[in-house]
Amino acid sequence: MTRTVGQVRADVEEASRWLAGRVVRTPVLRSAVIDERAGARVLLKAENLQDGGSYKMRGALRAVGRLAAAGHTGVIAQSTGNHAVAVSLAARQHGLAATVVLPVDAASTKVDRAGAAGARVVFAGTAVDERVAVANGLSDESGHPVVDAYDHPDVIAGQGTASLELIEDAERAGTPLDALVVPVGGGGGVAGACLAAAGSGIEVYGVEPVGCDSLARSLAAGVRVPVAPAPTIADGLRPSCVGELPFAIVRDRLRGVVRVDDDEIASAFRLILTELKVLAEPSGAAGLAGVLRLPPPGDRQRTVGVVLTGGNVEAALVARLMAPRSADLATEEGAAA
């Protein structure tokens, strides 16, 4: 394994070299309409076009690849969906058995993708603690290691390669980033972004749904603070507590956390679909929602990068979000993407 709390940009650079040719180097997209709305030059890294439909493929492939090289024959994972899909695909590539633990209300799109990749799918409650307990029990029974969705150094380094590519592509285009914005669930992606941006002067912001703001509360308190996640259309951004390792990495590196509500996420979702012509899940669209909440920089135009973390979204939710505004976007059972 790579470093734990002492992780540095070199870990992300090493992961990037290893992942070259193994993952898609996704495009960076831009829209004049989005720039005008944000009052900034906004560069969006389209990880919704990544293998498996999300940037989770990067961390999963890095972690599973190292476990395969170490002689393991199987892996266990738990998540709300995208990490489970990514681990399933990574395990298949390396010839490992995979068991993934999902909540009973997981989006069928993500359940189907994990199963199609050959994973054994196990359902466990709706809370992360229930899934963790089941995953650990399965690991004890089988001897297969758990690949955590965010509290794992290889996963963090792998996720950080999306931000590293965005930083590199912005520099090549002559529009270096002033800020980098990443949605926050357990914190692995934003921790990877902090590592990728280390020493560059780029300000890194996290984005959390209102009521699912463990990271924001933890930063304010100086210790990790769990929350009872509120209902949200951004199903990938509702763990009960930011991860221990991600928090240790970001606590002194993160510029701030932006809280966004479901209406703002839905508006960003529609903007991405209509202006960029790509489909992002609400968890990924939350990043753009956060960009639209950032205060203006003053007398100059700044360049802001945002990682569109995934695109695995239910067709029914797409239809609902694109329809005339509903009185309630958050509570319909099974509608989260």
Side-chain angles (χ1 to χ4, degrees), residues 272-329:
I272 291 165
L273 187 56
T274 57
E275 296 302 325
L276 299 178
K277 314 305 180 189
V278 298
L279 183 63
E281 61 189 279
S283 296
L288 177 57
V291 171
L292 298 175
R293 289 285 305 274
L294 289 177
D299 59 355
R300 68 179 184 88
Q301 184 184 46
R302 65 177 170 183
T303 303
V304 181
V306 59
V307 180
L308 297 180
T309 50
N312 293 322
V313 55
E314 302 281 74
L317 181 57
V318 174
R320 190 160 65 93
L321 294 179
M322 294 304 294
R325 290 170 63 99
S326 167
D328 181 8
L329 288 174

Side-chain angles (χ1 to χ4, degrees), residues 50-225:
Q50 186 57 255
D51 290 341
S54 83
Y55 80 149
K56 294 287 188 177
M57 192 65 194
R58 296 172 177 271
L61 197 57
R62 177 63 167 157
V64 172
R66 296 186 71 164
L67 289 171
H72 290 279
T73 59
V75 289
I76 312 287
Q78 70 78 24
S79 81
T80 56
N82 280 340
H83 177 68
V85 171
V87 168
S88 302
L89 290 167
R92 184 174 67 180
Q93 286 190 30
H94 288 282
L96 273 60
T99 300
V100 297
V101 184
L102 296 170
V104 295
D105 59 352
S108 60
T109 299
K110 297 175 182 179
V111 175
D112 292 345
R113 280 195 172 218
R120 173 192 173 200
V121 178
V122 176
F123 295 99
T126 58
V128 64
D129 290 347
E130 295 172 285
R131 298 195 303 275
V132 168
V134 171
N136 288 339
L138 292 169
S139 178
D140 291 341
E141 293 172 8
S142 65
H144 297 159
V146 174
V147 179
D148 195 89
Y150 41 85
D151 239 337
H152 192 295
D154 289 331
V155 169
I156 290 172
Q159 253 71 301
T161 64
S163 292
L164 182 64
E165 288 179 10
L166 177 52
I167 291 168
E168 292 172 345
D169 289 347
E171 289 174 349
R172 290 194 188 104
T175 54
L177 298 185
D178 299 298
L180 179 59
V181 179
V182 182
V184 177
V190 76
C194 284
L195 296 177
S200 68
I202 297 170
E203 296 181 337
V204 181
Y205 293 84
V207 180
E208 293 181 304
V210 172
C212 302
D213 53 349
S214 173
L215 178 56
R217 298 187 193 194
S218 299
L219 291 171
V223 295
R224 291 194 304 145
V225 177

Side-chain angles (χ1 to χ4, degrees), residues 5 190-191 194 215 218-224 242-256:
V5 176
V190 76
C194 284
L215 178 56
S218 299
L219 291 171
V223 295
R224 291 194 304 145
V242 63
E244 181 178 359
L245 178 53
F247 182 64
I249 291 170
V250 309
R251 61 186 304 172
D252 297 320
R253 292 180 168 108
L254 198 64
R255 179 67 176 83

Side-chain angles (χ1 to χ4, degrees), residues 219-242:
L219 291 171
V223 295
R224 291 194 304 145
V225 177
V227 298
T232 176
I233 56 174
D235 74 321
L237 307 182
R238 52 181 175 88
S240 59
C241 191
V242 63

